[in-house]
Protein backbone atom coordinates (compact mmCIF):
# COMPACT_ATOMS: atom_id res chain seq x y z
CA UNK A 1 0.00 0.00 0.00
CA UNK A 2 1.41 3.36 -1.01
CA UNK A 3 0.39 6.94 -0.28
CA UNK A 4 1.71 10.28 -1.51
CA UNK A 5 2.75 12.70 1.26
CA UNK A 6 4.52 16.06 1.56
CA UNK A 7 7.39 16.84 3.94
CA UNK A 8 6.36 19.75 6.19
CA UNK A 9 9.05 19.73 8.92
CA UNK A 10 12.50 18.32 9.61
CA UNK A 11 13.84 18.10 13.18
CA UNK A 12 17.14 16.32 13.90
CA UNK A 13 16.54 12.70 12.84
CA UNK A 14 12.77 13.02 12.41
CA UNK A 15 10.61 14.35 9.61
CA UNK A 16 6.93 15.24 9.64
CA UNK A 17 4.85 14.49 6.57
CA UNK A 18 1.21 15.21 5.76
CA UNK A 19 -1.10 13.28 3.51
CA UNK A 20 -4.55 14.16 2.21
CA UNK A 21 -7.32 11.85 3.49
CA UNK A 22 -9.27 10.48 0.54
CA UNK A 23 -12.87 9.34 0.66
CA UNK A 24 -14.08 6.66 -1.72
CA UNK A 25 -17.53 8.27 -1.63
CA UNK A 26 -16.46 10.92 -4.15
CA UNK A 27 -16.04 8.34 -6.90
CA UNK A 28 -19.23 6.39 -6.25
CA UNK A 29 -22.15 6.75 -8.66
CA UNK A 30 -24.65 6.79 -5.76
CA UNK A 31 -23.01 9.74 -3.96
CA UNK A 32 -26.03 12.03 -4.43
CA UNK A 33 -28.54 9.55 -2.94
CA UNK A 34 -26.42 7.90 -0.24
CA UNK A 35 -26.35 9.22 3.32
CA UNK A 36 -22.64 8.40 3.69
CA UNK A 37 -21.95 10.33 0.48
CA UNK A 38 -23.80 13.35 1.82
CA UNK A 39 -21.80 13.24 5.04
CA UNK A 40 -18.54 12.89 3.06
CA UNK A 41 -19.45 15.99 1.04
CA UNK A 42 -20.35 17.99 4.15
CA UNK A 43 -17.19 17.21 6.12
CA UNK A 44 -14.09 18.84 4.66
CA UNK A 45 -11.21 16.58 3.68
CA UNK A 46 -8.62 16.37 6.42
CA UNK A 47 -4.91 15.83 6.40
CA UNK A 48 -3.08 13.12 8.30
CA UNK A 49 0.27 13.96 9.82
CA UNK A 50 3.05 11.46 10.63
CA UNK A 51 6.41 11.90 12.30
CA UNK A 52 8.92 9.40 10.95
CA UNK A 53 12.53 8.57 11.74
CA UNK A 54 15.05 9.35 9.00
CA UNK A 55 16.88 6.13 9.89
CA UNK A 56 13.99 4.03 8.62
CA UNK A 57 13.99 5.42 5.08
CA UNK A 58 14.26 2.56 2.64
CA UNK A 59 16.62 3.65 -0.12
CA UNK A 60 15.97 1.96 -3.44
CA UNK A 61 19.37 2.97 -4.74
CA UNK A 62 22.73 3.23 -3.02
CA UNK A 63 23.12 7.00 -3.28
CA UNK A 64 22.01 9.11 -0.33
CA UNK A 65 19.09 11.42 -1.12
CA UNK A 66 18.64 14.66 0.78
CA UNK A 67 15.13 15.38 2.02
CA UNK A 68 14.02 18.99 2.23
CA UNK A 69 10.79 20.66 3.31
CA UNK A 70 8.28 20.61 0.48
CA UNK A 71 9.49 17.33 -1.05
CA UNK A 72 6.92 14.77 -2.06
CA UNK A 73 7.52 11.27 -0.74
CA UNK A 74 5.85 7.91 -1.17
CA UNK A 75 4.87 6.28 2.14
CA UNK A 76 4.45 2.54 2.16
CA UNK A 77 2.98 -0.15 4.41
CA UNK A 78 3.31 -3.88 3.73
CA UNK A 79 -0.09 -5.09 2.54
CA UNK A 80 0.32 -8.46 4.27
CA UNK A 81 0.74 -6.80 7.66
CA UNK A 82 -2.28 -4.53 7.14
CA UNK A 83 -4.47 -7.49 6.16
CA UNK A 84 -3.22 -9.56 9.10
CA UNK A 85 -3.97 -6.70 11.47
CA UNK A 86 -7.45 -6.18 10.01
CA UNK A 87 -8.17 -9.92 10.33
CA UNK A 88 -7.20 -9.89 13.99
CA UNK A 89 -9.12 -6.72 14.87
CA UNK A 90 -12.36 -7.68 13.12
CA UNK A 91 -12.56 -11.45 13.37
CA UNK A 92 -11.17 -12.33 16.80
CA UNK A 93 -13.99 -10.57 18.73
CA UNK A 94 -16.62 -12.11 16.44
CA UNK A 95 -15.11 -15.58 16.73
CA UNK A 96 -14.97 -15.19 20.53
CA UNK A 97 -18.61 -14.11 20.57
CA UNK A 98 -19.76 -17.03 18.41
CA UNK A 99 -17.66 -19.66 20.15
CA UNK A 100 -18.59 -18.63 23.68
CA UNK A 101 -22.26 -18.18 22.67
CA UNK A 102 -22.31 -21.73 21.31
CA UNK A 103 -20.75 -23.06 24.51
CA UNK A 104 -23.21 -21.03 26.61
CA UNK A 105 -26.17 -22.32 24.61
CA UNK A 106 -24.92 -25.89 24.87
CA UNK A 107 -24.52 -25.52 28.65
CA UNK A 108 -28.07 -24.13 28.83
CA UNK A 109 -29.41 -27.14 26.91
CA UNK A 110 -27.48 -29.47 29.24
CA UNK A 111 -29.15 -27.83 32.23
CA UNK A 112 -25.98 -26.26 33.66
CA UNK A 113 -27.36 -22.73 33.20
CA UNK A 114 -30.90 -22.05 34.36
CA UNK A 115 -31.59 -19.16 32.00
CA UNK A 116 -30.60 -18.13 28.47
CA UNK A 117 -29.50 -14.71 29.74
CA UNK A 118 -26.55 -16.47 31.36
CA UNK A 119 -25.67 -18.04 27.99
CA UNK A 120 -25.94 -14.59 26.39
CA UNK A 121 -23.62 -13.19 29.06
CA UNK A 122 -21.11 -15.97 28.34
CA UNK A 123 -21.23 -15.00 24.62
CA UNK A 124 -20.60 -11.34 25.46
CA UNK A 125 -17.68 -12.33 27.66
CA UNK A 126 -16.26 -14.31 24.72
CA UNK A 127 -16.59 -11.27 22.46
CA UNK A 128 -14.81 -9.14 25.03
CA UNK A 129 -12.03 -11.71 25.42
CA UNK A 130 -11.60 -11.78 21.63
CA UNK A 131 -11.33 -8.00 21.66
CA UNK A 132 -8.70 -8.11 24.43
CA UNK A 133 -6.73 -10.78 22.55
CA UNK A 134 -6.78 -8.68 19.37
CA UNK A 135 -5.67 -5.62 21.34
CA UNK A 136 -2.83 -7.59 22.92
CA UNK A 137 -1.68 -8.88 19.52
CA UNK A 138 -1.80 -5.37 18.01
CA UNK A 139 0.21 -3.78 20.83
CA UNK A 140 3.18 -6.15 20.58
CA UNK A 141 6.38 -4.22 19.71
CA UNK A 142 7.07 -6.29 16.60
CA UNK A 143 3.54 -5.68 15.31
CA UNK A 144 3.73 -1.94 16.03
CA UNK A 145 6.95 -1.71 14.02
CA UNK A 146 5.38 -3.49 11.03
CA UNK A 147 2.48 -1.02 10.92
CA UNK A 148 4.63 2.12 10.94
CA UNK A 149 4.64 3.85 7.56
CA UNK A 150 8.05 4.05 5.90
CA UNK A 151 9.34 6.30 3.14
CA UNK A 152 9.82 4.15 0.06
CA UNK A 153 11.14 6.87 -2.22
CA UNK A 154 11.54 10.59 -2.61
CA UNK A 155 9.96 12.08 -5.70
CA UNK A 156 12.07 14.57 -7.63
CA UNK A 157 10.98 18.18 -7.48
CA UNK A 158 9.61 19.59 -10.69
CA UNK A 159 10.82 23.06 -11.49
CA UNK A 160 7.71 24.67 -13.00
CA UNK A 161 9.58 27.74 -14.30
CA UNK A 162 12.05 25.58 -16.23
CA UNK A 163 9.22 23.52 -17.71
CA UNK A 164 7.36 26.64 -18.85
CA UNK A 165 10.50 28.10 -20.45
CA UNK A 166 11.19 24.80 -22.20
CA UNK A 167 7.66 24.62 -23.63
CA UNK A 168 7.73 28.22 -24.82
CA UNK A 169 11.06 27.85 -26.65
Amino acid sequence: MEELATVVAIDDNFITVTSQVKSSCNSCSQVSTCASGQVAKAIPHKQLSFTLSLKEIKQTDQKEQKITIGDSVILTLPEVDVLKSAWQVYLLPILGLFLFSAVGQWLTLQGVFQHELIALSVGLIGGYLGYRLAKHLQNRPDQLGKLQPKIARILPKIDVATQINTKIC
Side-chain angles (χ1 to χ4, degrees):
M1 296 177 63
E2 293 184 342
E3 182 71 29
L4 180 66
T6 305
V7 177
V8 294
I10 301 174
D11 297 318
D12 295 326
N13 288 330
F14 295 96
I15 63 169
T16 303
V17 296
T18 60
S19 175
Q20 186 73 30
V21 176
K22 296 174 189 78
S23 172
S24 60
C25 287
N26 294 335
S27 62
C28 178
S29 62
Q30 300 295 322
V31 71
S32 61
T33 59
C34 174
S36 296
Q38 297 301 318
V39 171
K41 281 201 269 185
I43 297 173
H45 296 289
K46 295 183 180 181
Q47 290 186 339
L48 287 176
S49 182
F50 297 102
T51 301
L52 306 168
S53 173
L54 282 174
K55 296 175 188 174
E56 296 177 4
I57 296 176
K58 295 193 306 185
Q59 294 293 338
T60 55
D61 53 0
Q62 295 300 323
K63 66 180 184 174
E64 184 69 26
Q65 290 181 306
K66 183 81 171 153
I67 297 178
T68 59
I69 294 175
D71 283 349
S72 293
V73 295
I74 301 291
L75 299 176
T76 185
L77 276 174
E79 204 166 312
V80 172
D81 295 326
V82 173
L83 291 175
K84 181 180 174 183
S85 177
W87 179 86
Q88 291 173 350
V89 168
Y90 288 111
L91 289 183
L92 286 178
I94 291 173
L95 290 175
L97 176 72
F98 286 167
L99 181 65
F100 276 62
S101 294
V103 170
Q105 186 64 30
W106 181 75
L107 291 172
T108 302
L109 292 175
Q110 297 299 317
V112 175
F113 295 149
Q114 300 301 318
H115 202 277
E116 286 188 358
L117 285 177
I118 299 172
L120 178 67
S121 299
V122 170
L124 292 175
I125 290 170
Y128 178 73
L129 291 175
Y131 159 75
R132 295 298 297 178
L133 176 62
K135 187 173 182 179
H136 170 73
L137 292 174
Q138 293 302 306
N139 287 330
R140 290 190 343 233
D142 62 325
Q143 183 68 12
L144 290 173
K146 290 178 184 177
L147 293 175
Q148 286 295 325
K150 294 177 180 45
I151 297 176
R153 60 187 179 274
I154 303 165
L155 299 178
K157 284 186 180 179
I158 299 173
D159 189 5
V160 178
T162 306
Q163 281 190 342
I164 292 173
N165 287 339
T166 309
K167 290 182 181 180
I168 293 174
C169 298

